[in-house]
Amino acid sequence: MKGSPELRKIQRPLETRGIPKDIPNSETFVRAHWDILLSILERHWSELREVKSRYPKGPRTTLERAEKFFERTHRYLVSLTQCDIPPPELQFLPFSKQLARSTLIFSTVVSSLAGVLFYVTLAAHTRGILSQGETVLLLLPTCSLLYLPIPLHRRTRINMEHSCRYLREGGKGHIVIGDVREGMFISFCAHEMAHHFLRERGRGGGLWEEGWARWIQLRVSEALSREYSVDALTPSLTLLLGELKEALMLARGGRPIPAWVRKVKSPFHTGAFTRWVKGEPSHSRERLFVHALGTAAFALLNEFRGDDIFKEFIGDKKPYPQL
């Protein structure tokens, strides 16, 4: 199997999951235009730093606002792709109350347990069973229990936010999404709506689909951020930059990675301890590999052909653009 050592290492588990075998060609394409991809990453990294102070994240999305954003996202995609595809069904899940309730229950249990252990340890010290040093050693891990609800709450919230997905039931498309903040709702909705458009046109499938959906997500987020004055760009750019950074590292060949690239914050490039402290979930290496190459390859196509690539891609008789 041709490709980088990273590709050969991961190719077999990818094949067993039925992921498209156009990955080696895509990696070759990305490697051939590595410097251009580097400039794309730098441009969007600068954009992310600017956009964070431009718009607020917005409040949690209500059902009424969700339906409005959903309908507007669909109309924007119809205009961008020139394909009059019927919208999918919206399945809106108000999970914020469930999150608050589960966090309260867990915090109560942990606090009660910590209180019991704290009392028992101090009682043993008072009776002379434990020395002062032993008491301190036991109290430190007991007090650390009080921190557990924080990463658990964050991890649960992130998992709920990213549970947004596109699925098909009874021959119809459905987008499942929760009551996240309005900016995040627009961003995630655009990504899943892009999947719907491709599936309706019979263009769905692996690597190219993910790349197309990520760039559709960015275009919609840019437009609707301005229209509704909420920050839909930060969620889009954060994922985009993480995937472009991964693609650059995978397809670099013998090239050195510039120091500034390593400073680009990415949800996919944090250590296990940092993820635990912040409550961030881990990521599938195989899934990230496919998303990264798809996003990078489509970034280059968009750079070469402009926004016409969105119409060309969904309207082409062939399943995927030719490299």
Side-chain angles (χ1 to χ4, degrees):
M1 177 62 66
K2 297 179 180 180
S4 66
E6 293 87 352
L7 174 63
R8 292 194 296 271
K9 186 191 304 181
I10 207 170
Q11 186 68 33
R12 185 164 298 280
L14 284 174
E15 289 176 348
T16 59
R17 297 181 185 208
I19 292 175
K21 295 181 173 58
D22 57 355
I23 288 178
N25 290 336
S26 300
E27 190 205 21
T28 301
F29 178 56
V30 171
R31 182 176 294 184
H33 303 287
W34 195 85
D35 292 332
I36 297 175
L37 191 65
L38 190 66
S39 67
I40 295 172
L41 175 68
E42 185 174 18
R43 185 169 68 239
H44 287 292
W45 187 37
S46 299
E47 184 182 8
L48 176 62
R49 289 183 304 218
E50 294 172 3
V51 78
K52 283 187 174 181
S53 59
R54 195 180 305 165
Y55 301 115
K57 295 179 181 179
R60 288 204 170 272
T61 310
T62 62
L63 177 58
E64 180 182 359
R65 294 282 282 177
E67 291 174 342
K68 182 177 181 179
F69 294 146
F70 192 81
E71 187 271 337
R72 182 67 183 91
T73 300
H74 175 258
R75 283 194 291 112
Y76 189 89
L77 259 69
V78 169
S79 174
L80 182 64
T81 62
Q82 297 296 299
C83 289
D84 190 11
I85 292 174
E89 297 289 331
L90 170 64
Q91 295 184 12
F92 186 68
L93 304 177
F95 64 70
S96 56
K97 291 183 180 179
Q98 177 187 348
L99 174 62
R101 184 167 55 251
S102 61
T103 301
L104 178 61
I105 293 173
F106 184 76
S107 299
T108 302
V109 172
V110 169
S111 299
S112 300
L113 177 61
V116 170
L117 293 176
F118 195 82
Y119 173 78
V120 171
T121 302
L122 286 181
H125 174 68
T126 302
R127 295 175 183 176
I129 299 175
L130 296 175
S131 66
Q132 184 173 354
E134 292 171 334
T135 302
V136 171
L137 287 175
L138 288 174
L139 286 180
L140 286 176
T142 300
C143 292
S144 68
L145 286 174
L146 298 174
Y147 175 74
L148 286 179
I150 298 175
L152 178 71
H153 172 85
R154 180 177 171 83
R155 180 184 294 271
T156 305
R157 176 179 59 79
I158 292 174
N159 281 323
M160 285 182 169
E161 289 172 349
H162 289 265
S163 64
C164 172
R165 60 193 181 277
Y166 174 74
L167 52 88
R168 296 189 69 84
E169 292 181 352
K172 293 192 66 175
H174 300 263
I175 292 179
V176 181
I177 187 169
D179 57 345
V180 296
R181 291 184 179 272
E182 290 185 350
M184 186 175 286
F185 182 95
I186 291 170
S187 177
F188 288 179
C189 180
H191 185 85
E192 303 307 329
M193 188 78 74
H195 284 297
H196 172 71
F197 270 57
L198 284 181
R199 297 298 176 90
E200 287 290 310
R201 295 283 293 178
R203 299 288 189 264
L207 187 146
W208 284 108
E209 179 179 355
E210 292 298 339
W212 191 79
R214 184 67 72 214
W215 284 91
I216 285 286
Q217 179 182 9
L218 182 66
R219 289 292 178 270
V220 174
S221 297
E222 287 174 341
L224 299 196
S225 287
R226 292 190 297 268
E227 185 172 330
Y228 293 107
S229 297
V230 294
D231 182 13
L233 262 177
T234 295
S236 304
L237 285 170
T238 300
L239 295 170
L240 178 77
L241 291 173
E243 290 169 356
L244 291 180
K245 179 178 179 179
E246 177 70 10
L248 282 166
M249 297 176 73
L250 288 171
R252 64 178 174 171
R255 300 179 182 90
I257 296 291
W260 66 265
V261 172
R262 299 187 185 279
K263 294 179 182 179
V264 175
K265 291 185 178 180
S266 163
F268 312 119
H269 299 92
T270 53
F273 179 74
T274 303
R275 286 198 304 270
W276 182 85
V277 171
K278 292 185 175 181
E280 297 175 349
S282 58
H283 302 276
S284 164
R285 182 69 175 170
E286 294 90 346
R287 184 178 177 83
L288 173 60
F289 193 94
V290 174
H291 281 233
L293 281 181
T295 298
F298 218 93
L300 293 168
L301 287 173
N302 185 218
E303 191 78 5
F304 298 151
R305 303 187 194 179
D307 283 354
D308 284 344
I309 187 62
F310 297 117
K311 290 181 285 187
E312 294 173 8
F313 183 74
I314 199 168
D316 195 352
K317 293 181 180 179
K318 295 182 179 180
Y320 306 107
Q322 299 299 301
L323 299 181

